[in-house]
Amino acid sequence: MSATPILSPVDSLTQKKELTIPPLLGASVAELTAWVQQQGQPAYRGKQLHEWIYQKGVRSLADISVFSKQWRAEVAEIPIGRSTLHYRSVAPDHTVKYLLQLVDGQIIESVGIPTFGRRSAGGENSKSRLTVCVSTQVGCPMACDFCATGKGGYKRNLARHEIVDQVLTVQEDFQQRVSHVVFMGMGEPLLNIDHVLEAIRSLNQDVGIGQRSLTISTVGIRDRIRQFAQHHLQVTLAVSLHAPNQALREQLIPSAHSYPIEDLLTECREYVEITGRRVTFEYVLLAGVNDLPQHALELAQRLRGFQSHVNLIPYNPIQEADYKRPRHDQIASFVKVLEQQKIAVSVRYSRGLEADAACGQLRASK
Ligand code: SAH
């Protein structure tokens, strides 16, 4: 991984002699321009290609009507890199779950989460949002005890086009611009950091989603948060903490054995210092396991003075684990302790529960 910021105006790829960029999705205007020129076409075709891929969502170069018939025929077989829809289901709360099939037959899951504008007390309509939850790997090697994705094992990293494609697919289906992207689907984003960084660049510059509307969620991989911080992005970093101490964290997250909570928090502090952005700590609430008032107090002590925000996720049931979601009053007491300790906290009631599309339920099956 080079130390050059990924959002620099000139892409390193354009400086390479050999341009082997297809699949084209995920490429910048500069890369696409270099590629069309290499094909003997005038430079302005690059901009046109960019618009057709990202704005019009074209799936085959043969369909780009502004290109000459002859050239379209020549490049018809060059892949843009779109997936095919394998299955789609809509939950009663309007969350849509997609199973997408990749060229090698692998299936991944993505989720579209609409939030409808609410009328505020002043009578104004807040803007409706469309959030996409994207996968970054086929399966996941982290094997957290309470998460369905890890139970199915790990297959491979996703390429940049396979990440960007998920956002375009949801945008197309909803006929609405995607406003937010959360890297919280299948997989551990920081184990696929190069492609995730490329996808962030593309979602930001090609698809047009603001960096602050992108969130990367990680369980924590040694040195990777530090590495991620070096890119000085304005994206939100969410860290899956899930426990206030090392012993409990090890019980829930196998990788915690070799990457202690103190080391993880040190890297998170560096992230705050380098980027000036606060970190979100995710904490899945498991009844009787990590949801007691004493856990909340210990968590508050651990995070004291840290520019952070705690996001509590009441456990979403999965078949392979017998954890339970805490009752409302238990969740409320946990929140109260954190608030009393002046820790910023919110509760995320996952959407899409009925479609098996909620946090931790993604397993690439219907
Ligand atoms: N690998 C990344 C992103 C994937 S999961 C990470 O670990 O952060 C997104 C969030 O859902 C994580 O915080 C994850 O711990 C949480 N999660 C996993 N299983 C869950 C479950 N059954 N119920 C609620 N949240 C869960």
Side-chain angles (χ1 to χ4, degrees):
M1 178 102 219
S2 75
T4 349
I6 55 156
L7 297 177
S8 66
V10 182
D11 269 286
S12 57
L13 268 172
T14 58
Q15 288 151 14
K16 285 186 190 163
K17 284 225 172 70
E18 284 282 313
L19 281 171
T20 45
I21 60 170
L24 300 171
L25 185 61
S28 64
V29 173
E31 281 175 84
L32 293 174
T33 302
W35 182 73
V36 296
Q37 286 181 302
Q38 188 208 31
Q39 305 287 316
Q41 296 292 314
Y44 70 88
R45 294 279 185 222
K47 226 178 189 161
Q48 289 179 326
L49 181 55
H50 190 266
E51 189 190 328
W52 279 77
I53 290 177
Y54 296 104
Q55 311 303 321
K56 300 192 197 282
V58 75
R59 286 175 174 269
S60 160
L61 293 182
D63 295 335
I64 304 186
S65 57
V66 291
F67 290 172
S68 71
K69 269 208 174 115
Q70 192 199 333
W71 192 48
R72 274 153 68 186
E74 276 171 34
V75 293
E77 299 304 316
I78 290 177
I80 286 178
R82 299 298 308 268
S83 63
T84 46
L85 182 63
H86 178 71
Y87 175 79
R88 175 185 183 275
S89 74
V90 186
D93 67 4
H94 305 286
T95 294
V96 182
K97 159 168 142 167
Y98 305 84
L99 296 186
L100 303 177
Q101 185 158 34
L102 309 175
V103 282
D104 61 353
Q106 298 288 353
I107 305 275
I108 52 163
E109 224 175 296
S110 315
V111 186
I113 311 156
T115 317
F116 302 101
R118 265 180 240 116
R119 210 170 262 282
S120 67
E124 273 169 47
N125 268 329
S126 63
K127 244 176 115 194
S128 51
R129 291 173 161 206
L130 176 57
T131 301
V132 184
C133 178
V134 295
S135 294
T136 54
Q137 297 183 311
V138 183
C140 183
M142 304 311 292
C144 300
D145 204 35
F146 45 81
C147 179
T149 305
K151 305 284 178 195
Y154 165 73
K155 297 278 172 17
R156 67 170 172 89
N157 277 335
L158 294 186
R160 70 172 180 186
H161 67 274
E162 292 168 329
I163 301 174
V164 177
D165 165 74
Q166 299 173 57
V167 175
L168 293 189
T169 297
V170 176
Q171 185 155 280
E172 206 171 278
D173 186 41
F174 274 81
Q175 296 278 299
Q176 181 188 338
R177 282 194 71 108
V178 167
S179 59
H180 295 75
V181 176
V182 294
F183 288 67
M184 293 186 184
M186 302 169 78
E188 169 45 53
L190 293 189
L191 285 178
N192 187 14
I193 188 166
D194 290 2
H195 295 159
V196 164
L197 284 165
E198 289 176 24
I200 289 173
R201 189 216 57 77
S202 180
L203 292 174
N204 181 227
Q205 296 186 343
D206 305 323
V207 183
I209 303 169
Q211 286 188 21
R212 285 175 177 243
S213 303
L214 306 175
T215 300
I216 305 295
S217 178
T218 178
V219 71
I221 306 293
R222 189 182 289 286
D223 293 331
R224 294 283 168 95
I225 292 177
R226 188 171 287 134
Q227 185 187 343
F228 192 66
Q230 299 305 330
H231 292 272
H232 294 273
L233 300 174
Q234 288 296 298
V235 301
T236 301
L237 178 71
V239 174
S240 295
L241 199 61
H242 305 326
N245 60 55
Q246 175 65 12
L248 189 49
R249 196 161 191 269
E250 277 181 10
Q251 264 181 46
L252 305 172
I253 303 171
S255 63
H257 286 275
S258 56
Y259 184 42
I261 191 167
E262 269 315 319
D263 294 359
L264 169 62
L265 291 175
T266 301
E267 278 194 59
C268 291
R269 277 194 198 89
E270 286 177 29
Y271 187 87
V272 174
E273 270 168 36
I274 294 173
T275 63
R277 305 270 294 153
R278 69 176 182 175
V279 171
T280 297
F281 289 108
E282 293 162 287
Y283 193 107
V284 59
L285 285 170
L286 308 166
V289 177
N290 66 354
D291 71 329
L292 306 177
Q294 75 219 43
H295 295 125
L297 195 59
E298 198 181 348
L299 182 65
Q301 282 156 358
R302 193 138 230 150
L303 299 182
R304 182 144 297 137
F306 205 121
Q307 270 191 59
S308 64
H309 176 101
V310 173
N311 195 209
L312 302 171
I313 319 171
Y315 171 66
N316 299 314
I318 63 163
Q319 259 171 25
E320 302 89 335
D322 31 72
Y323 293 112
K324 300 238 161 359
R325 175 184 279 212
R327 294 192 317 262
H328 281 288
D329 57 309
Q330 291 164 319
I331 299 171
S333 338
F334 199 94
V335 169
K336 201 169 157 201
V337 173
L338 290 178
E339 283 175 346
Q340 280 166 349
Q341 298 292 319
K342 307 269 182 284
I343 301 287
V345 56
S346 55
V347 184
R348 183 202 302 165
Y349 283 98
S350 299
R351 305 270 308 271
L353 205 56
E354 298 85 349
D356 269 352
C359 299
Q361 295 185 316
L362 308 188
R363 58 169 82 249
S365 70
K366 300 171 190 174

